Amino acid sequence: MRKAGLLALGIVTAPLLIASLASLSDSDFWLIRVVDLVRQPILYLAVVLALLALAFRQRAGWWIAGGLAVVIAIQVARLWPYAPMAEEQIAFSDDDAAGSCFTALSLNVKQSNDQYGRVAALIERENPDLLFLMETNAAWMDALEPQLGAYYETLSMPLENTYGMVFASRLQVIKAKMLTNIAEDTPTLYATLRLPNKSAFEFIGLHPRPPLPGQDTTQRDAMIARAGAITPDQLADVVVMGDFNDVPWSTTTTRFREDGDYRDPRAGRGTYPTFPAKFAFVGWPLDQLLVKNEIRLQSFEVLENVGADHLPMKGHFCLRDGEGEIIESFEPASDKDAEPDAEISEVG
């Protein structure tokens, strides 16, 4: 019986160890990158299996426990920055100066979700200054027409492939566009906005494709990396939101954050999972909110389930008077200079 038990533990441990070691590579093979999404379940499973292996009090059990210790160490190393005991990247600010603060809400509505009323009620209740919705098709645009109509300007690209999006703003929009220059029919939103205090910043909205069987992460990683490398108008202050289909501790998102000098409010506070909405307590933080330079964060929260498969995410941001780039007269960078070979939809 003991031999059978140890054999079973060894059979389960081997793929966990191989997958954990492989996940340290730069491979974009979908099966390897999926490991990033399940590091927490792997950690919990490895701890349980290690305790069982040690309970056998045999040499084979010690070897199995040793292999599981490597699995645990890899997961802890990746997850640690998002533990409540780790160092925070952002200290919440109590600034609330008139004209310098704004709110933004992002949500993947799930294209096939027909609970339009719940999403509409969320928008009306939260009343964000910036609204970024993903997986919006023609049906969603029609259903949310009253709520979107309450905004000064909107930009939309309704698609039937689950990668449509809409952006709405009550702030002054200097320029906004949706580009499909990495993956066809998978747009990225870039918007340059100005606050009443004349400070300007850029907003990036992302929804790349996830790692799936037969779909490696080459396009997803390139889409995330490109958005982080340079913004069209190259302003210093940037807000990024969206469903990355990736977790904050992955190699891709970590590089995005470090190369672009972005800060993550999750760091030092917890993982704040957003998917799947019905079981978020055992889910993953696929939706991201990142800020750069002088953008301050008053609050950051994951909101309640409104019928989609993702939970909404909301942030309250500030850009103090005298900080950030003050723009009286603005000449936007040309589309050609900003993003070559891109399909562009402008705010009308």
Side-chain angles (χ1 to χ4, degrees), residues 168-222:
S169 174
R170 289 196 178 94
L171 303 179
Q172 181 184 359
V173 179
I174 297 172
K175 182 173 68 175
K177 55 192 176 183
M178 291 177 180
L179 308 180
T180 57
N181 53 346
I182 294 294
E184 185 177 357
D185 293 333
T186 309
T188 298
L189 164 73
Y190 294 96
T192 302
L193 305 138
R194 179 161 47 196
L195 293 167
N197 68 359
K198 299 189 183 301
S199 295
F201 68 97
E202 293 188 68
F203 182 96
I204 301 174
L206 280 172
H207 183 208
R209 296 174 182 268
L212 294 171
Q215 181 174 292
D216 297 337
T217 64
T218 306
Q219 287 186 342
R220 182 201 69 176
D221 296 350

Side-chain angles (χ1 to χ4, degrees), residues 128-139:
D129 297 305
L130 302 177
L131 176 67
F132 178 54
L133 302 177
M134 295 151 281
E135 291 203 24
T136 48
N137 59 1

Side-chain angles (χ1 to χ4, degrees), residues 4 16 61 102-103 159 163-165 183 193 201 219 276 312 332 334:
L16 289 179
F102 62 96
T103 56
L159 298 171
Y163 291 96
M165 57 177 58
L193 305 138
F201 68 97
Q219 287 186 342
S334 72

